[in-house]
Amino acid sequence: MDPVRIAVVGAGVVGLSTAMCVSKLVPGCSITVISDKFTPDTTSDVAAGMLIPHVYADTPIPKQKQWFRETFDHLFAIASSAEAEDAGVHLVSGWQIFRSVPTEEVPFWADVVLGFRKMTEAELKKFPQHVFGHAFTTLKCESPTYLPWLEKRLKGSGVLILTRRIGDLWELHPSFDIVVNCSGLGSRQLAGDSKIFPVRGQVLRVQAPWVKHFIRDGSGLTYIYPGISNVILGGTRQKGDWNLSPDAEISRDIFSRCCALEPSLHGACDIREKVGLRPFRPGLRLQTELLAQDGRRLPVVHHYGHGSGGISVHWGTALEAASLVGECVRALRTPSSKSKL
């Protein structure tokens, strides 16, 4: 039986993890990852990579929790293995702090992260402007390390990596039998999706090796995330802003906000600015669409629109996308597939 030819469009964390899950879970396939941008030039490379979930309003909480748990368990296994350094995955402890007591004192993901508890009065003394907080241990996934590691593993599994700009998904027909669209903001053009839009994020990467605990303001707008080689300070949420150039005034504001939470950062050095455009839409799109044109048919699995929460759920949503790809493969191999598809 000839292998089913699958094209995965997009090489950020969503595209690469989806290709990995398809290669593991869907037998009898040849997989090609196609993108005009690879690490270190993807949106994922700018992501802070902390596993603290973003809430998707259109997705049931049990499903979001499943995606987060599957991702956390997957990365925790890597962090506990000899691959941890090469993969750029490690545990980090810290605090999420609030200026007023949140309506939801215990978030849905509290029993997925490690050691979740309310902060003590002694801990809160460090943050005089804040009245409530969570302390817990989670994972940090360093994208500039994790993405090359994923690429290397994909190549070792026989997955082809192709640098090419795609203007229309039909360009991939008839060379491929199934397309998996993980193009993020590229889906405005490739899928004609006007619902997806950028939310600009600017961060600073600084040298401050004495900072060991993460600090995240409850709004998620100001954060200090220590990593392996630097500390990430953030951030911004600028809806509809496509500008990839750093803004010096915003950088000063980020630095000021972070120093207010951790005054020792005044001693940070080697400050570098990074900008990424988060692919936001009202609901994460994870579904199959059958494109039809002039009697031709092309099954497409859409997997995009993760916004600021991509790293936190990437493996869980990739497993689900791989399941949808498996359904497409079975339909193609069924004798009556032409009537089904």
Side-chain angles (χ1 to χ4, degrees):
M1 190 180 291
D2 289 337
V4 174
R5 301 162 302 171
I6 298 171
V8 177
V9 180
V13 70
V14 172
L16 296 183
S17 56
T18 301
M20 183 63 73
C21 288
V22 171
S23 73
K24 285 185 171 186
L25 300 175
V26 186
C29 295
S30 66
I31 303 165
T32 304
V33 175
I34 304 172
S35 183
D36 61 334
K37 289 182 179 176
F38 288 84
T39 185
D41 300 317
T42 73
T43 297
S44 299
D45 284 288
V46 183
M50 288 286 290
L51 265 72
I52 301 174
H54 163 83
V55 176
Y56 299 103
D58 292 3
T59 305
I61 290 297
K63 173 60 71 176
Q64 296 185 57
K65 186 170 183 176
Q66 176 192 329
W67 290 339
F68 181 58
R69 186 184 294 279
E70 287 169 343
T71 305
F72 193 95
D73 290 351
H74 172 70
L75 292 178
F76 185 58
I78 295 171
S80 305
S81 77
E83 293 284 310
E85 182 182 5
D86 288 344
V89 181
H90 60 97
L91 290 165
V92 60
S93 301
W95 301 290
Q96 178 168 250
I97 51 178
F98 299 84
R99 291 177 183 269
S100 59
V101 179
T103 50
E104 188 182 55
E105 289 192 28
V106 180
F108 73 83
W109 44 266
D111 63 346
V112 179
V113 297
L114 308 178
F116 183 94
R117 59 176 174 79
K118 290 182 184 178
M119 285 172 66
T120 64
E121 290 297 321
E123 286 172 309
L124 281 167
K125 282 180 182 175
K126 181 173 168 64
F127 309 104
Q129 303 299 314
H130 296 75
V131 301
F132 182 85
H134 303 139
F136 56 93
T137 297
T138 188
L139 288 152
K140 190 169 188 296
C141 182
E142 311 261 347
S143 297
T145 306
Y146 184 61
L147 294 185
W149 180 77
L150 273 180
E151 272 189 34
K152 184 178 176 183
R153 295 186 77 216
L154 284 168
K155 289 173 182 173
S157 302
V159 173
L160 297 176
I161 306 286
L162 183 62
T163 303
R164 174 181 161 191
R165 184 173 185 82
I166 303 295
D168 186 321
L169 294 180
W170 279 110
E171 291 175 27
L172 300 169
H173 183 281
S175 300
F176 295 94
D177 304 304
I178 298 168
V179 172
V180 189
N181 173 29
C182 303
S183 63
L185 282 172
S187 294
R188 281 182 73 89
Q189 177 183 350
L190 291 180
D193 190 345
S194 59
K195 292 181 181 178
I196 193 163
F197 60 94
V199 174
R200 182 181 182 276
Q202 182 166 320
V203 299
L204 307 178
R205 294 178 186 263
V206 308
Q207 292 299 314
W210 59 87
V211 175
K212 303 296 186 188
H213 283 70
F214 74 80
I215 303 168
R216 181 182 193 266
D217 187 88
S219 68
L221 197 57
T222 302
Y223 50 83
I224 300 162
Y225 293 152
I228 294 169
S229 58
N230 53 42
V231 180
I232 295 180
L233 311 182
T236 65
R237 287 190 197 129
Q238 297 160 275
K239 291 183 179 180
D241 190 335
W242 291 85
N243 185 9
L244 282 166
S245 299
D247 181 310
E249 190 174 332
I250 288 174
S251 291
R252 284 192 290 272
D253 177 60
I254 291 170
F255 192 69
S256 173
R257 283 187 276 131
C258 290
C259 284
L261 295 180
E262 180 53 75
S264 73
L265 284 169
H266 282 292
C269 61
D270 193 20
I271 298 171
R272 302 183 183 196
E273 302 163 302
K274 293 283 183 181
V275 177
L277 305 179
R278 306 177 185 97
F280 261 85
R281 75 190 298 279
L284 190 156
R285 191 175 186 194
L286 190 48
Q287 64 183 168
T288 303
E289 179 184 19
L290 182 63
L291 300 185
Q293 186 182 86
D294 303 327
R296 300 177 299 163
R297 290 165 183 258
L298 181 63
V300 177
V301 173
H302 294 291
H303 183 204
Y304 65 87
H306 293 68
S308 61
I311 301 283
S312 291
V313 297
H314 74 277
W315 197 258
T317 61
L319 288 170
E320 193 159 319
S323 177
L324 294 176
V325 171
E327 290 173 12
C328 292
V329 169
R330 286 190 292 277
L332 283 174
R333 286 186 171 149
T334 302
S336 58
S337 65
K338 287 185 178 173
S339 61
K340 286 185 178 179
L341 287 177

